[in-house]
Each structure stands twice: as structure tokens, then as C-alpha cells.
Amino acid sequence: MINQKAINELRSILPAAEVKINAPLHEHTYTRMGGKADVLVFPKTIEDARAAVEYAYHSSYPLTILGKGSNVIIQDGGIRGIVLNLSSLDNIHESDKKVIAQSGARIIDASEFALDQKLTGLEFACGIPGSVGGAVYMNAGAYGGEIADCLESVLAVTKEGKLISLTADQLDLSYRHSNVEEKGLLVLEATFQLKDGHYDEIKAIMDDLTEKRETKQPLEYPSCGSVFKRPPGLFAGKLIQDSELQGTRIGGAEVSKKHAGFIVNIDNATATDYLNVIHHVQQTVKDKFGVDLEREVRVIGEPPEA
């Protein structure tokens, strides 16, 4: 646990930031699940975020980053140490056919901003939930596009609190992967290199993708989005569907009847419920088809006390 002295120090070095103690995290996730953070900090500027990282490093407190909370499951025991919620870092602007977005901005908003600027290349992201930082972190993608296709560079902070710039090539982007976590980095801003396009054509693509998403995905319930990575040459949703797992429920968590690749919170599910459904799906698919489904969603925090 973080003592009062540390909390006072944080508030002193981050006077503009909001600092909450013993803060419920279910309010900040798409699944509406998760325990409490010892300390939850909302930086207002890039310098605030950098200073918070530096403080955590030199104080040896655990540091966890939370963007929009879309592709994450926070366990019921909560998170020890300091949690940085970057949702206030949401500026987006354009320069020389490049969209520069802070990491707390929604990637959907970056896509819509590009549309307004008549720039093409981010259409695929128009329905991806979550933040720009999270999208870079996992090289998010949908409908044949991914962040690696248009990312030029990022501004990041090292675990010691030093600001650095990295090109996309330096992030080792591959399917649902970057080396951001391996290098101990926090992405604070991303620059996307786009191309001139026609507003009506860009919007038509985005409208089509939005319709597909709204028709096929269970957006009426809280969820973490697509739970599993796509196995080589296969589709996770098809394997789950063929395993007759749709509608399988543990506690308040259920394999979606609308899209087998989603697990939804239909009745005040706990993170433990959600994880138990994930493990059941993985074991069933393994037994039936011999395929190991790998989680796409991140699991962070502590399990509940016994």
C-alpha cells in the first residue's frame, strides 16, 4: 500500500492532476468489472504523465497504465501501487497530412478526425474501442487494417521518466503485438502518416464498417471486445461456435449468443466470472479441436482474497 507521505508527494509534483485514493476501477473499464486502485492518477499533460512515471520509478512503487479500459480485465482484488489513467490526454491535431493524437484519445475519434481532414488510412479504426495508446500497444486492427499500416512514430516515456521518440519500425509491430511492454515504455502520443482522400469515399467506408460492427457485435452489453487472438488459418469465433459454447454462462458472464468471439457482462459479472468463462472456452476448444486459443485481452491486477 502507498502511505500518506507518498500521496502528498504525488499531489505536490502533480498539482494539476486528479489523485484518487482506494478508487474503484470498474467505473473505468468497458467490462464494468474490477477491484480498486491504491492510487488512481489522472494526468492532465504529457509532463504530468512523465513526472508520475519518474516518481513511481524512483519510489519503487508498481505502476499500471490504463487508457479507456477496453481491451483489459482488471481482477477483483484491484491494483496495488499507482494507476495512471490517461483519458485526459486526448488532444488530436493535424500537420502536413499527419494526424497526431495523444494516447488517451479514443482511436475512434482519431479516425473521425482524419475523415474531417479528408485524410485516408485510418478508416479501419472507426469502430475499435479504446485509446490511441492502447491501440499502439497491441497494434490494434479490424477489417483488414491495423495500426502498423499507418503509424509513423510515437512519443513515449521510459520507465525512468525520460521522453523519447521512436519510429514505428522500432516498435516491432506484428499481429496484436508491439515491444512497448517489453521495453518498459509508456506511449504518450502517436503520429499517423495518412494520404489525401475524398470525404464521401472515406465516409462510405467508415459507414459500411460501422454497420458491420453494429450488426454483428453484442454492443448492447459491457465486454472487453474480441477476447482471443485469431489462430493461424482459423477463426476463434468459429471454433467457439462449433464447440457449441454460445450462451455458456458462469455467474454474470456469458459467451455472446450474437458473436461467439465476445464474452459479455450480462448481470453484474465479476472479473472472476469472466476469467472462468475464458478458461472454460479455452479448455473446451482445446479438447474438441486441439487448438490453443490465446487471449487478446490483457489481464491485470490481483485476484480476490480467498
Side-chain angles (χ1 to χ4, degrees), residues 93-100 110-111 113-115 117-124 147 149-152 191-197 202:
H93 66 279
E94 183 269 339
S95 177
D96 193 25
K97 301 179 187 177
K98 299 175 184 180
V99 168
I100 300 99
S111 177
F113 179 85
L115 166 65
Q117 304 299 313
K118 302 176 185 177
L119 295 172
T120 181
L122 263 179
E123 292 91 330
F124 72 90
I147 293 297
D149 297 336
C150 56
L151 183 68
E152 180 183 86
T191 298
F192 301 100
Q193 179 65 68
L194 306 178
K195 298 178 180 178
D196 284 327
I202 298 169

Short mmCIF file of all heavy atoms in Angstrom, two decimals, residues 93-100 110-111 113-115 117-124 147 149-152 191-197 202:
data_model
loop_
_atom_site.label_atom_id
_atom_site.label_comp_id
_atom_site.label_asym_id
_atom_site.label_seq_id
_atom_site.Cartn_x
_atom_site.Cartn_y
_atom_site.Cartn_z
N HIS A 93 -4.59 16.60 -33.39
CA HIS A 93 -4.44 17.67 -34.37
C HIS A 93 -3.77 17.14 -35.63
O HIS A 93 -3.32 15.98 -35.68
CB HIS A 93 -3.65 18.86 -33.80
CG HIS A 93 -2.22 18.57 -33.48
ND1 HIS A 93 -1.82 17.94 -32.31
CD2 HIS A 93 -1.07 18.83 -34.17
CE1 HIS A 93 -0.51 17.82 -32.29
NE2 HIS A 93 -0.03 18.35 -33.41
N GLU A 94 -3.72 17.99 -36.66
CA GLU A 94 -3.19 17.58 -37.97
C GLU A 94 -2.03 18.47 -38.37
O GLU A 94 -2.00 19.67 -38.06
CB GLU A 94 -4.31 17.67 -39.02
CG GLU A 94 -3.91 17.21 -40.42
CD GLU A 94 -3.37 18.36 -41.30
OE1 GLU A 94 -3.66 19.52 -40.97
OE2 GLU A 94 -2.66 18.07 -42.27
N SER A 95 -1.05 17.89 -39.04
CA SER A 95 0.07 18.65 -39.56
C SER A 95 0.64 17.91 -40.77
O SER A 95 1.10 16.76 -40.63
CB SER A 95 1.16 18.81 -38.49
OG SER A 95 2.30 19.49 -39.02
N ASP A 96 0.58 18.54 -41.93
CA ASP A 96 1.20 18.00 -43.13
C ASP A 96 0.75 16.56 -43.42
O ASP A 96 1.56 15.66 -43.61
CB ASP A 96 2.72 18.07 -43.02
CG ASP A 96 3.42 17.83 -44.35
OD1 ASP A 96 2.79 18.07 -45.41
OD2 ASP A 96 4.59 17.39 -44.33
N LYS A 97 -0.59 16.36 -43.44
CA LYS A 97 -1.20 15.06 -43.74
C LYS A 97 -0.90 14.00 -42.67
O LYS A 97 -1.00 12.80 -42.93
CB LYS A 97 -0.77 14.55 -45.12
CG LYS A 97 -1.14 15.48 -46.26
CD LYS A 97 -0.67 14.94 -47.60
CE LYS A 97 -0.90 15.97 -48.70
NZ LYS A 97 -0.40 15.53 -50.01
N LYS A 98 -0.54 14.48 -41.50
CA LYS A 98 -0.31 13.57 -40.38
C LYS A 98 -1.32 13.90 -39.28
O LYS A 98 -1.56 15.07 -38.98
CB LYS A 98 1.11 13.72 -39.84
CG LYS A 98 2.19 13.38 -40.86
CD LYS A 98 3.57 13.67 -40.31
CE LYS A 98 4.64 13.42 -41.38
NZ LYS A 98 6.00 13.70 -40.88
N VAL A 99 -1.89 12.87 -38.70
CA VAL A 99 -2.76 13.04 -37.54
C VAL A 99 -1.94 12.69 -36.30
O VAL A 99 -1.40 11.59 -36.19
CB VAL A 99 -4.01 12.15 -37.63
CG1 VAL A 99 -4.75 12.12 -36.29
CG2 VAL A 99 -4.94 12.66 -38.72
N ILE A 100 -1.83 13.67 -35.39
CA ILE A 100 -1.07 13.48 -34.15
C ILE A 100 -2.07 13.42 -33.01
O ILE A 100 -2.81 14.37 -32.77
CB ILE A 100 -0.05 14.61 -33.94
CG1 ILE A 100 0.95 14.65 -35.11
CG2 ILE A 100 0.71 14.40 -32.63
CD1 ILE A 100 0.65 15.68 -36.14
N ALA A 110 -9.79 9.60 -33.41
CA ALA A 110 -8.69 9.88 -34.35
C ALA A 110 -9.12 9.55 -35.78
O ALA A 110 -8.81 10.29 -36.73
CB ALA A 110 -7.45 9.08 -33.97
N SER A 111 -9.87 8.45 -35.92
CA SER A 111 -10.36 8.06 -37.24
C SER A 111 -11.35 9.08 -37.78
O SER A 111 -11.29 9.47 -38.96
CB SER A 111 -11.03 6.68 -37.13
OG SER A 111 -11.58 6.27 -38.35
N PHE A 113 -11.54 12.24 -36.87
CA PHE A 113 -10.80 13.48 -37.13
C PHE A 113 -10.13 13.42 -38.50
O PHE A 113 -10.15 14.39 -39.27
CB PHE A 113 -9.74 13.71 -36.04
CG PHE A 113 -8.91 14.93 -36.24
CD1 PHE A 113 -9.35 16.17 -35.79
CD2 PHE A 113 -7.68 14.86 -36.88
CE1 PHE A 113 -8.58 17.32 -35.98
CE2 PHE A 113 -6.91 15.99 -37.07
CZ PHE A 113 -7.36 17.23 -36.62
N ALA A 114 -9.55 12.24 -38.83
CA ALA A 114 -8.93 12.08 -40.14
C ALA A 114 -9.96 12.26 -41.25
O ALA A 114 -9.68 12.88 -42.29
CB ALA A 114 -8.28 10.70 -40.24
N LEU A 115 -11.17 11.74 -41.04
CA LEU A 115 -12.25 11.94 -42.01
C LEU A 115 -12.52 13.42 -42.22
O LEU A 115 -12.62 13.89 -43.36
CB LEU A 115 -13.52 11.24 -41.51
CG LEU A 115 -14.83 11.60 -42.22
CD1 LEU A 115 -14.80 11.16 -43.68
CD2 LEU A 115 -16.02 10.99 -41.48
N GLN A 117 -10.57 15.81 -41.91
CA GLN A 117 -9.44 16.42 -42.62
C GLN A 117 -9.29 15.87 -44.04
O GLN A 117 -8.35 16.23 -44.75
CB GLN A 117 -8.13 16.16 -41.84
CG GLN A 117 -8.14 16.65 -40.40
CD GLN A 117 -8.35 18.14 -40.29
OE1 GLN A 117 -7.69 18.90 -40.99
NE2 GLN A 117 -9.26 18.55 -39.42
N LYS A 118 -10.21 14.99 -44.43
CA LYS A 118 -10.18 14.35 -45.74
C LYS A 118 -8.89 13.56 -45.96
O LYS A 118 -8.29 13.56 -47.03
CB LYS A 118 -10.37 15.38 -46.86
CG LYS A 118 -11.66 16.16 -46.76
CD LYS A 118 -11.77 17.23 -47.83
CE LYS A 118 -13.01 18.09 -47.63
NZ LYS A 118 -13.10 19.19 -48.62
N LEU A 119 -8.49 12.85 -44.89
CA LEU A 119 -7.29 12.02 -44.94
C LEU A 119 -7.67 10.56 -44.81
O LEU A 119 -8.49 10.19 -43.95
CB LEU A 119 -6.32 12.42 -43.82
CG LEU A 119 -5.73 13.82 -43.91
CD1 LEU A 119 -4.94 14.16 -42.65
CD2 LEU A 119 -4.84 13.95 -45.15
N THR A 120 -7.08 9.73 -45.66
CA THR A 120 -7.43 8.31 -45.68
C THR A 120 -6.30 7.47 -45.09
O THR A 120 -5.13 7.80 -45.21
CB THR A 120 -7.75 7.85 -47.12
OG1 THR A 120 -8.11 6.46 -47.09
CG2 THR A 120 -6.57 8.04 -48.05
N GLY A 121 -6.69 6.35 -44.46
CA GLY A 121 -5.72 5.44 -43.88
C GLY A 121 -6.10 4.94 -42.51
O GLY A 121 -5.60 3.92 -42.04
N LEU A 122 -7.02 5.66 -41.85
CA LEU A 122 -7.45 5.25 -40.51
C LEU A 122 -8.90 4.75 -40.48
O LEU A 122 -9.47 4.57 -39.41
CB LEU A 122 -7.32 6.42 -39.53
CG LEU A 122 -6.05 6.49 -38.67
CD1 LEU A 122 -6.08 7.74 -37.78
CD2 LEU A 122 -5.88 5.24 -37.81
N GLU A 123 -9.47 4.51 -41.65
CA GLU A 123 -10.87 4.09 -41.69
C GLU A 123 -11.11 2.82 -40.88
O GLU A 123 -12.15 2.69 -40.22
CB GLU A 123 -11.32 3.86 -43.14
CG GLU A 123 -11.40 5.11 -43.98
CD GLU A 123 -10.10 5.42 -44.72
OE1 GLU A 123 -9.02 5.06 -44.19
OE2 GLU A 123 -10.17 6.02 -45.81
N PHE A 124 -10.19 1.88 -40.92
CA PHE A 124 -10.36 0.60 -40.24
C PHE A 124 -10.59 0.77 -38.74
O PHE A 124 -11.17 -0.10 -38.08
CB PHE A 124 -9.14 -0.30 -40.47
CG PHE A 124 -7.92 0.16 -39.72
CD1 PHE A 124 -7.64 -0.29 -38.45
CD2 PHE A 124 -7.03 1.06 -40.30
CE1 PHE A 124 -6.52 0.14 -37.75
CE2 PHE A 124 -5.91 1.51 -39.63
CZ PHE A 124 -5.66 1.04 -38.34
N ILE A 147 -2.84 -0.81 -36.96
CA ILE A 147 -2.08 0.39 -36.64
C ILE A 147 -0.75 0.43 -37.40
O ILE A 147 -0.32 1.50 -37.86
CB ILE A 147 -1.83 0.47 -35.12
CG1 ILE A 147 -3.14 0.69 -34.38
CG2 ILE A 147 -0.83 1.57 -34.79
CD1 ILE A 147 -3.85 1.99 -34.70
N ASP A 149 -0.07 -0.22 -40.28
CA ASP A 149 -0.21 0.22 -41.66
C ASP A 149 -0.01 1.73 -41.81
O ASP A 149 0.33 2.20 -42.90
CB ASP A 149 -1.61 -0.14 -42.20
CG ASP A 149 -1.85 -1.63 -42.24
OD1 ASP A 149 -0.87 -2.40 -42.30
OD2 ASP A 149 -3.03 -2.04 -42.21
N CYS A 150 -0.26 2.50 -40.76
CA CYS A 150 -0.24 3.95 -40.90
C CYS A 150 0.54 4.68 -39.81
O CYS A 150 0.70 5.90 -39.88
CB CYS A 150 -1.66 4.51 -40.97
SG CYS A 150 -2.68 4.05 -39.55
N LEU A 151 1.03 3.96 -38.81
CA LEU A 151 1.78 4.61 -37.73
C LEU A 151 3.16 5.03 -38.22
O LEU A 151 3.90 4.23 -38.78
CB LEU A 151 1.92 3.66 -36.54
CG LEU A 151 2.61 4.25 -35.31
CD1 LEU A 151 1.76 5.34 -34.67
CD2 LEU A 151 2.94 3.16 -34.30
N GLU A 152 3.50 6.29 -38.00
CA GLU A 152 4.83 6.78 -38.36
C GLU A 152 5.78 6.77 -37.18
O GLU A 152 6.91 6.29 -37.28
CB GLU A 152 4.74 8.21 -38.91
CG GLU A 152 6.10 8.79 -39.30
CD GLU A 152 6.00 10.22 -39.78
OE1 GLU A 152 6.03 11.14 -38.94
OE2 GLU A 152 5.90 10.42 -41.01
N THR A 191 1.83 9.48 -34.02
CA THR A 191 1.71 10.22 -35.28
C THR A 191 1.40 9.24 -36.40
O THR A 191 2.14 8.27 -36.63
CB THR A 191 3.02 10.97 -35.61
OG1 THR A 191 3.27 11.93 -34.58
CG2 THR A 191 2.91 11.68 -36.95
N PHE A 192 0.27 9.48 -37.08
CA PHE A 192 -0.17 8.61 -38.17
C PHE A 192 0.05 9.34 -39.50
O PHE A 192 -0.44 10.45 -39.69
CB PHE A 192 -1.65 8.26 -38.01
CG PHE A 192 -1.96 7.56 -36.72
CD1 PHE A 192 -2.49 8.25 -35.64
CD2 PHE A 192 -1.71 6.20 -36.57
CE1 PHE A 192 -2.77 7.61 -34.45
CE2 PHE A 192 -1.99 5.54 -35.39
CZ PHE A 192 -2.52 6.25 -34.32
N GLN A 193 0.78 8.69 -40.41
CA GLN A 193 1.01 9.24 -41.74
C GLN A 193 -0.11 8.79 -42.66
O GLN A 193 -0.26 7.59 -42.94
CB GLN A 193 2.36 8.77 -42.29
CG GLN A 193 2.66 9.27 -43.69
CD GLN A 193 2.81 10.78 -43.76
OE1 GLN A 193 3.77 11.33 -43.24
NE2 GLN A 193 1.87 11.46 -44.40
N LEU A 194 -0.92 9.74 -43.10
CA LEU A 194 -2.08 9.41 -43.93
C LEU A 194 -1.94 10.03 -45.31
O LEU A 194 -0.93 10.65 -45.63
CB LEU A 194 -3.35 9.91 -43.23
CG LEU A 194 -3.53 9.41 -41.78
CD1 LEU A 194 -4.78 9.99 -41.16
CD2 LEU A 194 -3.56 7.88 -41.74
N LYS A 195 -2.96 9.85 -46.14
CA LYS A 195 -2.93 10.36 -47.51
C LYS A 195 -4.20 11.16 -47.79
O LYS A 195 -5.24 10.95 -47.16
CB LYS A 195 -2.83 9.19 -48.51
CG LYS A 195 -1.55 8.37 -48.37
CD LYS A 195 -1.57 7.20 -49.36
CE LYS A 195 -0.30 6.36 -49.23
NZ LYS A 195 -0.32 5.20 -50.16
N ASP A 196 -4.09 12.05 -48.75
CA ASP A 196 -5.27 12.80 -49.18
C ASP A 196 -6.32 11.84 -49.72
O ASP A 196 -6.01 10.87 -50.42
CB ASP A 196 -4.91 13.80 -50.28
CG ASP A 196 -4.18 15.03 -49.74
OD1 ASP A 196 -4.49 15.44 -48.61
OD2 ASP A 196 -3.31 15.56 -50.45
N GLY A 197 -7.57 12.12 -49.38
CA GLY A 197 -8.66 11.30 -49.88
C GLY A 197 -9.88 12.16 -50.12
O GLY A 197 -9.85 13.38 -49.96
N ILE A 202 -14.25 8.22 -48.05
CA ILE A 202 -13.79 7.80 -46.72
C ILE A 202 -14.98 7.51 -45.83
O ILE A 202 -15.04 6.48 -45.13
CB ILE A 202 -12.90 8.89 -46.09
CG1 ILE A 202 -11.65 9.11 -46.94
CG2 ILE A 202 -12.50 8.51 -44.67
CD1 ILE A 202 -10.84 10.34 -46.55
#
